[in-house]
Amino acid sequence: MGCLAFDTPAQAFARVLESGPRVLAVGEAHAQQGSEGIPSTTRRFTELFLPGLAGRASDLIIELWAVDPRCKKEQVARVETEQRAVTQGQAAQNQNEFLALGHAAKRLGIRPHQLTPSCQEYDAIVRAGPDAVTAMLEMIARLTAAEAKALLGREGATGKMVIAYGGALHNDVAPRPGRERWSFGPELSAITAGKYVELDLIVRELIKESESWRALPWYPHFDKEKHPDKAVLFNPAPGSYTLIFPRSS
């Protein structure tokens, strides 16, 4: 478990990029209701890190769904209902901040891309019934991998970095048992010959004493009271990083 402290998040982020990844997969713990007074991970990535990727990254895949207009309205509405059950505890501005990230990328010359599920995929989620959430998680991983592979393999590809930005469940290079189908990490690591970096971004104040947080490999090694004004970077495995932001002002 490598662990380093940096004066600024930008310095920690630069260390992550030293390996020259072909795919940089950024995962976040989505901001929750009640945390609106703390700058979110999405906002920090947009403001602190994205400008430094201009000229180094060609494309940004964002975990936002674009609806295919050919799909049946009732089909889409059913899936949106299932989505709300998952996102109801999240901060209201999350989707708008994802959209703002895409607009900021475009201004910097980085092409943004949303995920576009097919009508058949919407239908599969509806038919999954009580397993609809699992079906959605698997679909997000599958569509992100497909989009990344298409960008990496397109004619005239520049060799610049492709960024994927979304939830931290999907970018694991070594997913936990039972979650393999939720992550695109192993597939993209294989097709890039290991030039894949998983980077989880964590807002310090949002770390809780809960089972889901304790299950993370860096959690036993982190003390919120130590180095509160530093950016802490864990490297729990090759190609895998967790960057914890300094405490908010």
Side-chain angles (χ1 to χ4, degrees):
M1 178 67 65
C3 178
L4 295 170
F6 295 84
D7 290 333
T8 68
Q11 291 172 343
F13 187 59
R15 174 62 66 90
V16 172
L17 296 181
E18 284 182 358
S19 64
R22 188 73 173 84
V23 173
L24 173 66
V26 182
E28 66 163 37
H30 300 309
Q32 301 297 302
Q33 291 178 7
S35 66
E36 287 81 2
I38 302 170
S40 69
T41 307
T42 313
R43 178 178 163 188
R44 295 177 201 232
F45 179 81
T46 304
E47 295 177 355
L48 298 178
F49 299 155
L50 188 64
L53 294 170
R56 302 180 66 178
S58 60
D59 298 88
L60 169 68
I61 305 167
I62 307 172
E63 192 186 306
L64 278 175
W65 297 14
V67 176
D68 186 331
R70 295 170 295 183
C71 299
K72 297 177 182 178
K73 291 182 179 179
E74 60 270 22
Q75 190 181 45
V76 174
R78 287 276 300 277
V79 173
E80 288 177 344
T81 299
E82 296 291 348
Q83 280 183 295
R84 282 194 293 273
V86 177
T87 61
Q88 62 183 354
Q90 296 180 10
Q93 78 272 14
N94 284 0
Q95 185 167 9
N96 288 337
E97 290 190 344
F98 269 46
L99 289 169
L101 170 59
H103 293 315
K106 189 173 183 178
R107 289 194 297 270
L108 292 167
I110 302 170
R111 291 182 292 268
H113 306 267
Q114 296 183 6
L115 306 179
T116 305
S118 67
C119 302
Q120 290 79 9
E121 285 160 335
Y122 273 103
D123 187 55
I125 293 171
V126 171
R127 287 188 284 104
D131 295 321
V133 172
T134 297
M136 282 189 279
L137 293 173
E138 293 177 357
M139 185 194 72
I140 289 168
R142 186 172 61 252
L143 293 183
T144 304
E147 184 70 26
K149 288 190 292 184
L151 294 171
L152 292 168
R154 70 187 168 198
E155 185 177 354
T158 61
K160 291 182 179 179
M161 192 185 314
V162 172
I163 308 163
Y165 191 97
L169 280 176
H170 301 298
N171 66 337
D172 292 348
V173 71
R176 280 188 278 166
R179 295 186 174 186
E180 293 88 352
R181 293 169 63 88
W182 301 358
S183 177
F184 49 77
E187 184 176 3
L188 295 185
S189 181
I191 69 167
T192 58
K195 301 293 284 184
Y196 173 91
V197 165
E198 164 199 350
L199 172 63
D200 290 341
L201 299 178
I202 307 293
V203 174
R204 182 180 295 252
E205 290 86 348
L206 303 186
I207 300 172
K208 306 295 183 185
E209 285 281 350
S210 69
E211 183 178 348
S212 58
W213 283 103
R214 285 193 292 269
L216 299 172
W218 53 267
Y219 184 90
H221 308 276
F222 177 67
D223 185 340
K224 279 202 290 188
E225 303 307 316
K226 289 185 177 180
H227 312 299
D229 298 320
K230 301 284 188 181
V232 177
L233 183 68
F234 288 104
N235 182 198
S240 175
Y241 296 89
T242 296
L243 194 164
I244 300 174
F245 289 100
R247 66 182 173 188
S248 305
S249 301

